Every structure is written in structure tokens, then in C-alpha cells.
Amino acid sequence: MKQKFLKLKPLERLLTILDLFTPNFKLLSFSDIVRLSGLPKSTVFRLIRTLEDNNLLQKASNMQGWVLGTWLLDKLALLMNQDIMAYSYDHMRWLNNLTQETVCLWRRVGNERICVLQFESPHELRMVAEPGKPVPLYCGGAGKILLAYLKPQELDEYFKNVQLKPVGPRTIVDENQLRRELSRINVKGVAVGIKERTSGGVGIAAPIYTADGQVEYCLSLYLPVLRFSNKVKQQLIPLLKKSASDISTDLGFRGSDVIVSRVSK
């Protein structure tokens, strides 16, 4: 195998390194990459540096290896979500123009969520997401709205596999407390997260239903806590829910014709 890889051109070697990452191998250490590629350590070191410099690879959060970089995740999100992005574009632009706050379209990916489309606030002081960057589901309005519409068995499995730990100053890390809030969110159809993911941000989110009544996407408004109040919340929520509902309708959702599972209390 080693001789095969040594004959590759530099670009082909870079692509070969990326190809080592699979659903079963999302994180690879330096020794993993050397072993699987058959390339010399010095070559692997140089290729990793090049891939990191171009956001094609990035250090894992535990610093024990590398995962695919934000550039690749961003492009993957684009490919996976072209249809809903097309349906959402005009509704998101309308909401952004009306509220003057950042509007984000989120998708659930396993136990995390990623922003797949964003319209930034025109204000100098604004909050923005990082498209393609995975974010835990248990913190923030968008994450909680996606959790709130999981089936009971899916939610149980989620809590078995995810450790709740602080991300922002007000992250909910008690499972029972989070379950109670998810039940309320499921009934109200809107979630609010204040300083749960960042120290200065507020996220307000509403579910987007696909034609079969599933909630894999949500729409959120993301704004600085300095511009947030109960009055502002009451103004923004109807506009947000209207936009999310309009997107759901465009996707073929027919409301009462579909039964949506609720989380267990």
C-alpha cells in the first residue's frame, strides 16, 4: 500500500487523507493517518498542516486527533440541504428585513445541529452563527426546539449518549430540568435560550415541519442579550412562527393531517 500512495501527486495525497474519514472513523489520530495511508510521518505531518491551513481538517475538541474541517462541513451542508434552503430563502430574508436580527436555518445532525443558511443582522452589534460548525443540541433555543420534537425513545437514547456540561453561563445541565422544559417547548411551539450557548446571545427558535410531520430543521432569531426584553420577545415570536410555518407549508406540511410525537414528561 505504501508504494501506491507514494506515487500519488500532492493533490491526490491530500484527497486520500480526507478519504480516510468515514462515518465509523470521524476522528483520526496522527498515528491512525500514518497507518491507514502508508505515507511517511514527515509527509503526513506536512499534508495535515496544509489541510488545516485551508480549513479542510481541524483539531478535535479533545485534542486527540483531527476531524473534518468547517469548509468541508459547510459544503456538505449545502449539498444536503439545497431544497429546504431554496424554500426558506425568501421567508428568511423577509424575517431578517423586518426584525433586523440574524436569522438562522438549523438542521439536526445526530446529537448536534449545524447552521445551513444565515442572514446576518445589519446592526454593528450582532450575533452570528458559524455555518457548518456542529453545536450541541441541549443548549440554545434552536437546539432545544429540535430536541423537543424527538420521539420519546429517541430522546431517551439521546440522554444516554450525551453528557450535559456547561457551554454558556446558563446552559441547562440537569436532565430532569431539561426534560420539563422540552415538554413545555413542544406544547408552545417555540424555544428561547438566554446565554445558554454564548455569554451575550439570545436564541429564539420555532420548528419547521417536513411533509411527513418530522422536525429535522428549525428557524431561529439570534440577537444580543442587550437588545432583548419581554416586550421584544412578544414582538419577535409571532413573526418567527409565521416564517417557520410558511416554510413548513411550502415543504408540504398540512398541520392537523399529521400527528407529531411529543416528548415524555
Side-chain angles (χ1 to χ4, degrees):
M1 179 184 289
K2 181 177 290 187
Q3 292 302 316
K4 173 185 175 182
F5 280 106
L6 288 174
K7 293 179 181 179
L8 294 175
K9 297 177 181 179
L11 178 59
E12 292 173 327
R13 290 183 182 180
L14 290 171
L15 294 175
T16 299
I17 297 295
L18 294 175
D19 196 47
L20 298 176
F21 292 84
T22 68
N24 293 326
F25 295 96
K26 297 179 182 179
L27 185 152
L28 294 175
S29 67
F30 182 81
S31 59
D32 290 333
I33 296 174
V34 171
R35 175 175 53 83
L36 293 171
S37 70
L39 291 168
K41 291 182 179 180
S42 58
T43 301
V44 170
F45 180 80
R46 185 172 64 253
L47 293 175
I48 288 176
R49 288 291 298 273
T50 300
L51 291 167
E52 282 186 308
D53 290 343
N54 290 278
N55 294 321
L56 296 172
L57 285 185
Q58 65 187 45
K59 270 286 190 181
S61 57
N62 61 9
M63 304 302 289
Q64 298 300 308
W66 285 266
V67 295
L68 293 179
T70 56
W71 187 90
L72 284 170
L73 293 173
D74 191 18
K75 298 306 177 186
L76 178 62
L78 177 64
L79 292 173
M80 293 175 62
N81 302 286
Q82 286 183 357
D83 287 346
I84 191 167
M85 289 168 67
Y87 283 119
S88 303
Y89 189 92
D90 287 341
H91 299 296
M92 292 178 65
R93 183 174 58 181
W94 173 83
L95 185 61
N96 174 253
N97 288 335
L98 195 61
T99 64
Q100 298 289 287
E101 299 295 355
T102 297
V103 181
C104 302
L105 174 66
W106 296 89
R107 174 176 178 155
R108 178 171 63 86
V109 180
N111 292 332
E112 298 173 311
R113 58 183 165 108
I114 59 172
C115 176
V116 298
L117 183 62
Q118 176 176 240
F119 285 80
E120 293 188 16
S121 166
H123 292 295
E124 184 175 352
L125 176 61
R126 60 181 178 268
M127 303 301 295
V128 296
E130 296 182 55
K133 180 179 180 179
V135 178
L137 285 176
Y138 62 84
C139 61
K144 290 188 298 184
I145 204 81
L146 292 169
L147 274 182
Y149 290 90
L150 289 180
K151 295 177 181 178
Q153 59 268 31
E154 291 176 327
L155 191 63
D156 290 341
E157 188 67 22
Y158 174 82
F159 283 119
K160 287 180 183 178
N161 295 313
V162 174
Q163 179 183 2
L164 304 180
K165 54 185 179 180
V167 178
R170 297 186 183 177
T171 307
I172 300 174
V173 293
D174 179 83
E175 180 182 332
N176 291 329
Q177 180 184 351
L178 183 54
R179 281 182 178 272
R180 288 193 295 270
E181 179 158 355
L182 294 179
S183 294
R184 291 191 292 268
I185 290 170
N186 186 285
V187 173
K188 293 180 179 179
V190 66
V192 179
I194 303 174
K195 297 184 179 181
E196 292 185 12
R197 187 167 70 88
T198 58
S199 59
V202 176
I204 311 172
I208 293 174
Y209 297 92
T210 53
D212 58 356
Q214 300 302 307
V215 178
E216 296 180 358
Y217 297 87
C218 72
L219 196 63
S220 77
L221 285 165
Y222 194 24
L223 63 152
V225 70
L226 293 176
R227 281 203 297 274
F228 184 73
S229 65
N230 284 331
K231 180 179 180 181
V232 169
K233 180 175 72 171
Q234 297 306 317
Q235 293 171 341
L236 294 180
I237 285 178
L239 301 174
L240 173 66
K241 294 181 76 171
K242 171 178 168 48
S243 295
S245 176
D246 288 344
I247 295 171
S248 300
T249 299
D250 287 350
L251 289 172
F253 178 64
R254 294 296 177 264
S256 60
D257 295 337
V258 180
I259 298 177
V260 180
S261 298
R262 297 193 181 277
V263 297
S264 57
K265 296 185 180 181

